[in-house]
Amino acid sequence: TGIYSVRMRAAQGGAHEEGGRHISGGERLVTEEDLDKFAQNLIDRALHHSRGTADFINIRIDHVPLETIHYAAPLSIECKEAESINKAHQMAIQQLIQEGVSETAAKAGVHFIKNDVATRGAIIMDADSGERLDHRGDRGVRVSHMDWDEPFWNQWQMRTKSKDSLKIREAIALATKVTLAGSVAELCWSDDPEYVTGYVGGRKYSRISPLKRVGDPRGGRVFYVRKSTGLEDYIHFLEQTPVIIRG
Ligand code: PML
């Protein structure tokens, strides 16, 4: 026995590799009994996405042996509202500094995401110098193989009075995994033009809004690490090691 990773990615105008436009993606870690239900959910998501209807959908299912799974409690969440985008960026910089990032690197992260249109995954940055450390180019690093334990998510969401939001659900799972991997901190805001909230991850998940104006398609992720971090193992953990979020 074990669980299965179900991953979906969808595009319009052909497959991603053939130049299609990315529309949506998603992933769940589920038991065998739930496999068909969640695969169906992911297909529905691809077909009815606000960015359009997919004409290419790729579903991939991998068996995940139980002994490879890591478990982690979710980062605790706090929410901050700023009066302006500039002030929100200042808040993000202050929060990154509290998590152990240098001011130079914190500013470099904000600058990167503010201007980035090309990178699909995350970049890795030296938490002291602000220099980019990965060599992934526009592809970046794609964190995958993490999900919430379903009953625990339902409890958590009621307790914290959070909306049943897929974005929050996925972002906290990702941020928790990024911290578990040994990062100093993370900075993220969405490339969804309609979504202006982002966060600083680290010991906490600090949501900050608004980090951009509505309609702006720029967004991305920066993972901060110390230079001594073994990058190959770090990236492997982020991309491959299954992590389930529960109490
Ligand atoms: C949140 O509201 O806490 C989620 C913010 C990050 C969303 C990133 C994304 O899914 O594009």
Side-chain angles (χ1 to χ4, degrees):
T1 62
I3 57 165
Y4 290 83
S5 147
V6 195
R7 282 186 283 169
M8 175 278 288
R9 57 196 185 99
Q12 198 171 48
H16 296 78
E17 297 77 12
E18 295 153 6
R21 185 173 72 100
H22 179 78
I23 289 204
S24 79
E27 173 177 12
R28 303 301 295 265
L29 294 173
V30 300
T31 58
E32 188 177 340
E33 303 85 72
D34 287 340
L35 201 48
D36 51 353
K37 185 173 97 195
F38 283 107
Q40 184 65 52
N41 283 350
L42 289 170
I43 293 170
D44 290 344
R45 192 165 152 186
L47 288 177
H48 309 288
H49 199 274
S50 59
R51 285 192 212 178
T53 300
D55 55 24
F56 169 83
I57 303 173
N58 178 303
I59 298 265
R60 178 177 169 141
I61 300 175
D62 293 292
H63 180 252
V64 175
L66 282 178
E67 61 276 13
T68 61
I69 301 173
H70 288 55
Y71 296 90
L75 301 180
S76 60
I77 179 170
E78 66 175 26
C79 303
K80 295 178 187 169
E81 288 279 340
E83 289 156 25
S84 67
I85 293 167
N86 251 333
K87 287 197 172 145
H89 288 171
Q90 293 310 316
M91 275 182 183
I93 290 165
Q94 283 314 313
Q95 187 61 33
L96 285 166
I97 291 171
Q98 274 198 21
E99 293 285 2
V101 176
S102 76
E103 187 175 344
T104 306
K107 285 181 174 165
V110 170
H111 182 80
F112 174 80
I113 299 180
K114 213 159 112 177
N115 296 296
D116 183 49
V117 278
T119 319
R120 293 185 294 280
I123 67 159
I124 302 173
M125 199 178 263
D126 185 320
D128 298 298
S129 71
E131 160 199 10
R132 181 171 177 179
L133 297 175
D134 66 280
H135 302 286
R136 287 292 184 89
D138 288 352
R139 190 157 70 93
V141 176
R142 277 248 178 235
V143 187
S144 149
H145 294 89
M146 68 282 171
D147 196 0
W148 291 70
D149 171 78
E150 196 64 25
F152 182 76
W153 162 255
N154 291 322
Q155 284 169 20
W156 182 91
Q157 185 210 314
M158 275 193 276
R159 196 176 63 228
T160 58
K161 301 191 172 61
S162 302
K163 288 178 292 179
D164 186 5
S165 150
L166 198 56
K167 271 204 170 23
I168 296 179
R169 175 183 171 135
E170 292 183 346
I172 296 181
L174 188 149
T176 302
K177 185 173 182 183
V178 168
T179 294
L180 190 67
S183 316
V184 175
E186 174 190 358
L187 174 66
C188 162
W189 66 87
S190 188
D191 56 6
D192 179 342
E194 301 301 314
Y195 205 84
V196 299
T197 304
Y199 66 88
V200 169
R203 288 179 293 260
K204 269 191 302 208
Y205 182 90
S206 304
R207 299 183 75 211
I208 301 171
S209 201
L211 285 161
K212 68 177 189 182
R213 61 171 180 79
V214 176
D216 188 342
R218 288 169 296 188
R221 284 194 156 92
V222 176
F223 301 157
Y224 290 98
V225 299
R226 297 280 173 231
K227 211 166 195 131
S228 55
T229 305
L231 273 198
E232 217 170 295
D233 288 350
Y234 173 78
I235 292 175
H236 185 267
F237 183 89
L238 291 174
E239 292 185 332
Q240 304 290 340
T241 304
V243 174
I244 292 184
I245 311 299
R246 65 172 194 201

